[in-house]
Amino acid sequence: MTPSERRVTGTLSAIYILRMLGLFLLLPVLALYAETLPGATPAMIGLALGMYGLTQAVFGIPFGSASDRFGRKPVITFGLLLFAGGSLLAAAAHSVAVIIAGRALQGAGAVAAPIMALLADLLRPEQRSKGMAAIGISIGGAYLVSLPLGPVLAAWLTVPGIFLMIAVLALVMIGLLWWQVPTPVVSRGAGRPRGELRRALTDPHLLRLDFSILALHMLMTGTFVVLPPLLRDQLHLPPAQHLWLYLPTVVLSIVAMVPLIVHAERRARLKPVFVAMVALLGVGIAVLLAGSHVLIGVAAGLLAFLIAFNVLEATLPSMMSRLAPMAGRGAAMGVYSTAQFLGAFIGGAGAGWLRGQHGTQGVLLAGLVLCVVWFALSVGLRAPAHLQTRVIDVAGIGPERARTLTDELSALAGVAEAVVIPDEGVAYLRVDGQRFDPACLARVAGVRA
């Protein structure tokens, strides 16, 4: 990457981290704080945790479309202002209902899609995968840092203080957006390839991945509706000491996660690792369910849960990018992102209701049943092909030639898929490295290998 591309990637990743902190940083502390406010019931507390995800899911696609029409940076700015306003409302809240309203307003600033689109606008095609990977790493990093950091900040700043801190950071990010990130000049009239959204909503393998991210975030949010109260009430661990459970389990989960991801990617074992991690997630919840009366049982269950969660959170986007067609990757990722945040809402609201009706054991048992269903669906997932992406120069061709060139490139040996973008003067090929011979490109008119 050039220095400008690194600066853009770093700034946009920081903005994305801030969005995820709005969800992750409050996971270990919000349930306990909400219990002290008027109107607190298990269902309302679960809604306070999950409402952020609902409005993220509802407004994600409209914000992406608005950024095509009005520009990326104005839409991101508006979304960050909504996020800051919701944070301030939650900070000033004196009831759970107002907390819920603030969380809804936080989530309404759904700038994930415009951020990803702006990153794609400003990076060269061959650097886009690195930029997207940086954002993916930032999501995982935000989650891992938030678990031990949340209780520390709550003890130091209080939960309203965390909301205020997030609001100030949102305003700082607006300044960085306009100061550090160039304004791209991009054609807004190309539109979305027809039929790609329908395909994303009907392809059974893409739907399995959408269900996977929905289930993963249901389990993550639902678990943290019940875990902090369990630690305090059943194990008599004061909230300020929850750090000493979260910190070692997070560190150990990172140590275990790295070799699993390396093995999955380098050995083309994404599906077996994916299925194994779904099973491990179920094992973690089962251990939490059986060992909730002793600290060692909770620690062991949480460690298994975090290892599986981290690996799945990292590998699911990779699997989606490999199974989704290149021409429809944007639509597929839009549905995937909506499912992710919808899962956070359903997990929080559903776990809150279940806790009120059936207690902590009921929530964990429901999570275990969800893991069994998820495991059964994951077994039927098509294993992603281990393909490489090649970018070739097709500058100067017109739209008519682009259509025929797509067919010619797709017919070459070893080419699984080809997409030609005449406006950018490039074509993207997904190829089997063992069967594809770059020399064959010389026989295709209009291509400069």
Side-chain angles (χ1 to χ4, degrees):
M1 285 187 176
T2 66
S4 174
E5 288 174 326
R6 286 195 294 270
R7 184 176 68 251
V8 166
T9 301
T11 302
L12 294 179
S13 295
I15 296 173
Y16 210 104
I17 287 173
L18 174 69
R19 300 292 300 143
M20 300 313 296
L21 286 178
L23 176 63
F24 294 148
L25 195 60
L26 292 153
L27 277 178
V29 297
L30 186 57
L32 298 179
Y33 171 70
E35 287 182 351
T36 67
L37 299 177
T41 65
M44 292 291 280
I45 291 170
L47 200 58
L49 270 171
M51 182 56 71
Y52 181 89
L54 177 63
T55 48
Q56 281 270 359
V58 169
F59 291 101
I61 293 175
F63 263 70
S65 299
S67 74
D68 289 334
R69 182 173 182 182
F70 302 110
R72 315 294 191 205
K73 290 169 73 173
V75 170
I76 294 172
T77 300
F78 178 65
L80 288 174
L81 287 173
L82 286 178
F83 179 78
S87 301
L88 292 173
L89 179 61
H94 295 290
S95 70
V96 176
V98 178
I99 288 277
I100 292 171
R103 296 284 283 169
L105 190 57
Q106 275 187 319
V111 295
I115 288 173
M116 302 285 266
L118 180 57
L119 188 67
D121 292 342
L122 292 172
L123 297 187
R124 291 168 293 158
E126 61 269 25
Q127 297 298 330
R128 286 175 187 164
S129 60
K130 294 180 183 178
M132 299 303 174
I135 286 185
I137 292 169
S138 74
I139 295 173
Y143 177 74
L144 294 172
V145 168
S146 294
L147 287 187
L149 187 59
V152 174
L153 289 176
W156 180 38
L157 299 175
T158 73
V159 172
I162 294 176
F163 279 117
L164 283 173
M165 180 191 73
I166 292 173
V168 171
L169 286 174
L171 299 178
V172 171
M173 291 301 167
I174 293 174
L176 287 176
L177 174 69
W178 289 94
W179 176 41
Q180 292 288 329
V181 179
T183 300
V185 179
V186 180
S187 171
R188 304 293 179 197
R192 182 182 293 165
R194 292 183 179 179
E196 294 302 338
L197 181 58
R198 184 185 303 117
R199 181 174 179 179
L201 292 170
T202 56
D203 185 297
H205 298 287
L206 297 184
L207 287 176
R208 279 184 170 89
L209 294 180
D210 294 330
F211 177 82
S212 295
I213 194 64
L214 180 138
L216 184 64
H217 280 256
M218 282 178 63
L219 292 166
M220 180 266 293
T221 311
T223 299
F224 280 91
V225 168
V226 298
L227 184 59
L230 183 153
L231 294 173
R232 182 195 61 192
D233 299 335
Q234 293 183 227
L235 300 181
H236 309 294
L237 191 67
Q241 295 182 21
H242 291 188
L243 162 71
W244 303 114
L245 172 66
Y246 296 139
L247 184 59
T249 51
V250 164
V251 172
L252 289 173
S253 72
I254 295 173
V255 172
M257 171 189 71
V258 173
L260 287 169
I261 293 176
V262 170
H263 173 74
E265 292 286 352
R266 291 186 179 176
R267 300 295 181 90
R269 302 282 293 172
L270 273 173
K271 181 186 173 181
V273 170
F274 168 74
V275 174
M277 290 302 102
V278 175
L280 182 60
L281 204 63
V283 169
I285 293 175
V287 173
L288 280 173
L289 184 63
S292 59
H293 58 288
V294 291
L295 185 59
I296 188 65
V298 173
L302 182 61
L303 177 60
F305 183 93
L306 289 177
I307 292 171
F309 178 89
N310 294 336
V311 174
L312 290 167
E313 185 77 12
T315 56
L316 272 169
S318 176
M319 295 180 73
M320 175 62 76
S321 68
R322 295 181 189 209
L323 288 177
M326 283 193 292
R329 191 175 292 163
M333 293 304 294
V335 175
Y336 175 89
S337 178
T338 297
Q340 178 183 28
F341 287 109
L342 191 60
F345 167 71
I346 296 172
W353 179 84
L354 276 173
R355 183 183 169 217
Q357 299 294 316
H358 305 288
T360 296
Q361 301 295 308
V363 175
L364 294 175
L365 184 59
L368 185 57
V369 171
L370 178 59
C371 284
V372 172
V373 173
W374 183 7
F375 180 83
L377 288 172
S378 68
V379 170
L381 180 70
R382 184 174 74 237
H386 197 62
L387 301 176
Q388 303 169 358
T389 299
R390 298 289 184 93
V391 182
I392 60 175
D393 183 5
V394 294
I397 67 168
E400 290 297 326
R401 174 56 182 148
R403 280 189 283 273
T404 59
L405 181 58
T406 300
D407 295 335
E408 293 175 21
L409 291 172
S410 299
L412 295 175
V415 176
E417 191 175 3
V419 173
V420 179
I421 306 177
D423 290 345
E424 296 183 4
V426 297
Y428 296 94
L429 306 182
R430 286 170 115 179
V431 303
D432 181 339
Q434 295 182 337
R435 296 177 54 228
F436 177 70
D437 181 6
C440 68
L441 292 172
R443 300 194 298 269
V444 181
V447 171
R448 285 168 290 282

